[in-house]
């Protein structure tokens, strides 16, 4: 795949489109892009639509998203003339969980938080990717210290290709790309939310904190993930330098 230049220029859109086109060629079957409407996802969606690529657009509606996220969802569909398929949690599983642990029971123990994430995100992702041969994500390297994200690799846990066309972009490059191309972004970014998930589980970051410090901030361990990018052994699919 083409490599990104160090500085955002107008050809950057061509670079992003080129990477996505290469993924489309490499993956002959169904190709799914899952968006959570973060900056990275908005940049990728912009390129997919600009190139009229045959990629399914999907989002996981957990039922606990910020109002600003739902507003951006509607704005994005109107701006690009697309419909983004929503996949929802299983109603019975969710009712059982809330009935047993309460609406905010995920605060009581990490195991309960992971169970909530599984019902609201991980299981719906499996539905979204059912029958797919490739998965496009908005992952970037460096969002967690030392983290390295490949541009494309086999996701052996799911038996498909997993692509991250912005893997080597910095947050500054993503911000500049969105500004240059008038890509709509979540209003919460301007309020100190670089990483946005469910409303009860996301806060603004403090000066000097890493991008994902505002996610599940009440947990003390360094590896706070929802399970979307974990392998069957419970470890991050993303790799770290040795």
């Amino acid at each position: 795949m083409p490599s990104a230049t160090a500085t955002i220029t107008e050809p950057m859109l061509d670079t992003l489109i080129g990477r996505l086109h290469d993924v489309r060629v490499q993956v002959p079957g169904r190709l799914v892009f899952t968006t959570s409407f973060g900056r990275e996802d908005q940049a990728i969606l912009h390129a997919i639509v600009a190139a009229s690529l045959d990629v399914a657009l999907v989002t996981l509606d957990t039922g606990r998203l910020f109002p600003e996220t739902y507003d951006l969802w509607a704005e994005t569909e109107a701006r690009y003339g697309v419909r983004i398929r929503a996949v929802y949690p299983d109603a019975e599983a969710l009712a059982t969980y809330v009935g047993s642990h309460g609406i905010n029971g995920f605060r009581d123990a990490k195991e309960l938080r992971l169970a909530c994430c599984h019902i609201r995100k991980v299981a719906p992702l499996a539905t979204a990717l059912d029958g797919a041969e490739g998965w496009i994500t908005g992952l970037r390297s460096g969002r967690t210290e030392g983290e390295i994200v490949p541009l494309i690799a086999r996701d052996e846990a799911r038996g498909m290709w997993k692509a991250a066309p912005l893997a080597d972009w910095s947050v500054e490059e993503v911000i500049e790309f969105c500004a240059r191309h008038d890509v709509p972004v979540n209003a919460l970014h301007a309020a100190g939310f670089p990483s946005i998930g469910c409303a009860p589980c996301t806060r603004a970051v403090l000066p000097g904190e890493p991008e994902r410090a505002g996610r599940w901030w009440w947990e003390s361990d360094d590896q706070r993930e929802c399970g979307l990018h974990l392998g069957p052994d419970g470890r991050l699919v993303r790799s770290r330098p040795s």
Side-chain angles (χ1 to χ4, degrees):
M1 290 186 180
S3 60
T5 54
T7 304
I8 287 288
T9 61
E10 288 308 318
M12 215 43 172
L13 177 59
D14 293 335
T15 297
L16 180 52
I17 288 174
R19 289 179 170 186
L20 289 165
H21 180 267
D22 287 349
V23 174
R24 178 66 280 179
V25 170
Q26 181 169 337
V27 179
R30 183 168 180 261
L31 184 58
V32 176
F33 169 53
T34 55
T35 176
S36 61
F37 301 101
R39 288 189 187 104
E40 293 81 5
D41 293 333
Q42 291 294 94
I44 292 170
L45 188 144
H46 179 89
I48 288 173
V49 174
S52 300
L53 293 174
D54 178 22
V55 176
L57 308 177
V58 181
T59 191
L60 309 179
D61 186 355
T62 65
R64 302 300 301 270
L65 303 179
F66 284 93
E68 290 87 349
T69 302
Y70 289 110
D71 289 344
L72 179 61
W73 182 349
E75 181 185 357
T76 299
E77 290 190 332
R79 161 74 187 277
Y80 294 107
V82 298
R83 280 283 178 261
I84 300 168
R85 176 193 171 205
V87 180
Y88 299 95
D90 178 78
E92 184 175 351
L94 188 56
T96 299
Y97 176 90
V98 173
S100 297
H101 306 295
I103 190 63
N104 288 335
F106 49 81
R107 294 279 180 86
D108 296 337
K110 181 170 183 177
E111 292 74 18
L112 293 179
R113 196 271 292 169
L114 289 171
C116 184
C117 285
H118 183 86
I119 293 169
R120 294 183 184 274
K121 300 175 77 173
V122 179
L125 177 64
T127 299
L129 296 179
D130 185 36
E133 294 189 30
W135 176 24
I136 298 172
T137 78
L139 294 175
R140 284 189 297 103
S141 298
R143 296 186 71 176
T144 301
E145 186 177 358
E147 175 186 48
I148 298 173
V149 176
L151 284 169
I152 188 167
R154 285 293 292 178
D155 185 334
E156 298 299 344
R158 293 186 171 86
M160 64 178 61
W161 290 101
K162 182 177 179 182
L166 299 183
D168 55 357
W169 286 30
S170 68
V171 63
E172 291 80 13
E173 287 173 321
V174 175
I175 291 171
E176 181 62 21
F177 178 90
C178 290
R180 282 180 178 269
H181 295 282
D182 195 28
V183 176
V185 298
N186 199 315
L188 290 172
H189 289 312
F193 290 75
S195 178
I196 303 168
C198 290
C201 300
T202 311
R203 65 160 171 80
V205 300
L206 302 175
E209 285 187 322
E211 288 183 52
R212 290 180 64 81
R215 304 294 294 276
W216 311 291
W217 69 92
W218 62 88
E219 295 178 7
S220 59
D221 61 315
D222 293 333
Q223 293 299 314
R224 298 194 298 269
E225 292 286 338
C226 62
L228 292 183
H229 303 288
L230 297 180
D233 60 356
R235 300 186 177 206
L236 280 171
V237 174
R238 294 171 279 184
S239 61
R240 293 171 181 275
S242 58

